[in-house]
Amino acid sequence: QVQLVESGGGSVQAGGSLRLSCVVSGDTYSTNSIGWFRQAPGKEREGVAAINRGGKPTYAASAKGRFTISRDNSIDELYLEIDKLEPEDTAMYYCAATRLGRYYQLSPTDFPIWGQGTQVTVSS
């Protein structure tokens, strides 16, 4: 069984940066790609970025530039660096995993294993 636990969220001022972390435990061999999703109040959950075990990233068009996804397979940890935070980035951020190593969509449908989320709040 795979378990994902996010951390690193918090309240920050616009223009600042955060690094979110997601620790993966359990049957990590069945987890080839891990992604970050976010959900703001009143909005659908949307994909931000994902990365496969080989380190190839995929970004949502809206996330290119300010978001950087990475992973450290040696410690089974996933990261999301968010730079130049904006109030619109306020959301619950989730990490999620899939057996797919490529050709996945940044959609919750392709990521069946989820963490509990970490809240990011950006103030003006």
Side-chain angles (χ1 to χ4, degrees), residues 36-38 44-50 59-63 106-108:
W36 286 99
F37 296 76
R38 67 182 183 181
E44 295 291 322
R45 190 169 299 183
E46 64 176 354
V48 178
Y59 292 93
S62 61
L106 280 174
S107 168

Side-chain angles (χ1 to χ4, degrees), residues 85-103:
L85 283 157
E86 303 172 355
E88 311 89 81
D89 296 321
T90 296
M92 183 72 74
Y93 285 73
Y94 301 88
C95 61
T98 178
R99 286 181 176 268
L100 300 173
R102 61 178 182 175
Y103 301 132

Side-chain angles (χ1 to χ4, degrees), residues 27 29-33 97-102 104 110-113:
D27 186 13
Y29 291 102
S30 66
T31 303
N32 290 314
S33 300
T98 178
R99 286 181 176 268
L100 300 173
R102 61 178 182 175
Y104 53 81
D110 279 356
F111 290 78
I113 306 172

